[in-house]
Amino acid sequence: MAEGIWQATDHRPVSVAEAEREWNLRATEILSEVAGRYGRTIEYGDLGAEVQRRAGILTDMPLAAWLDDVITEVARRCAEAGKPLLTLLVEDPDSKVDAVARMGVYEAYGAKMPGARKTATRSPRSRSRAAAAAERADRTPTKRTVKPEERRRPVCPSCFVELPSTGICDNCD
């Protein structure tokens, strides 16, 4: 097999531009799927293999020779669209990723977030009951919360320093 880029089905050569176009689309598709599940990421090498498999366009070039360009293009497209960077979900041992930024990706792509509550849809009748309950709550006086008093420790009568648990002043003794 010759070095370069070719169709997986018939080994027909493919231009770099055609391959990159297909690889960019597949990488975006794959990363969007990954983003749809909270906490999920994809290894750099796994992304490369899956991109080639889905596109049906293979290469024997080293991953970094083509996948870095694909990842850069996906990031550029995300930025242009004003979306969080899908590329933050690619696990690369050489890079550190901000967990907060990843959370933004998961939220933007509809992942079920931990601690998120489901909002129950209410019937019109139960909605009116809820509204009535809210009205009653508005009319009832609010309870005042009383702060507990701060506990004061004994103070030395001579130097006015807080006494240790022994009750004997360390400064005056």
Side-chain angles (χ1 to χ4, degrees):
M1 199 176 317
E3 279 189 24
I5 306 169
W6 63 91
Q7 281 287 339
T9 53
D10 59 7
H11 301 284
R12 177 182 54 84
V14 176
S15 71
V16 172
E18 183 183 349
E20 284 182 348
R21 184 174 48 254
E22 281 300 310
W23 289 337
N24 290 337
L25 290 171
R26 299 305 165 244
T28 302
E29 176 184 287
I30 293 162
L31 291 171
S32 294
E33 291 170 12
V34 170
R37 291 192 55 207
Y38 174 77
R40 197 165 162 209
T41 58
I42 188 166
E43 294 288 330
Y44 181 82
D46 293 342
L47 176 63
E50 186 64 10
V51 163
Q52 286 188 48
R53 187 189 70 74
R54 288 192 188 186
I57 299 173
L58 307 176
T59 184
D60 54 3
M61 294 186 294
L63 270 178
W66 64 274
L67 189 55
D68 288 351
D69 292 339
V70 169
I71 289 172
T72 300
E73 181 61 19
V74 170
R76 186 188 66 76
R77 287 182 181 183
C78 287
E80 279 182 358
K83 292 185 176 182
L85 301 179
L86 284 168
T87 54
L88 293 172
L89 303 180
V90 179
E91 288 286 340
D92 184 358
D94 297 331
S95 68
K96 303 265 189 253
V97 176
D98 181 15
V100 174
R102 273 193 179 153
M103 292 287 284
V105 176
Y106 296 129
E107 288 175 336
Y109 285 85
K112 183 178 175 186
M113 302 304 285
R117 294 181 179 216
K118 284 188 177 180
T119 54
T121 55
R122 296 180 181 173
S123 67
R125 185 173 176 181
S126 67
R127 237 181 265 128
S128 62
R129 285 183 187 163
E135 266 182 43
R136 281 192 304 273
D138 287 342
R139 287 190 302 243
T140 57
T142 58
K143 294 180 183 177
R144 290 200 309 171
T145 56
V146 179
K147 292 182 182 177
E149 274 190 47
E150 189 177 318
R151 191 170 144 200
R152 297 194 174 229
R153 295 189 167 225
V155 178
C156 174
S158 304
C159 64
F160 304 104
V161 172
E162 190 175 290
L163 292 174
S165 59
T166 61
I168 300 169
C169 182
D170 292 333
N171 291 337
C172 298
D173 110 89

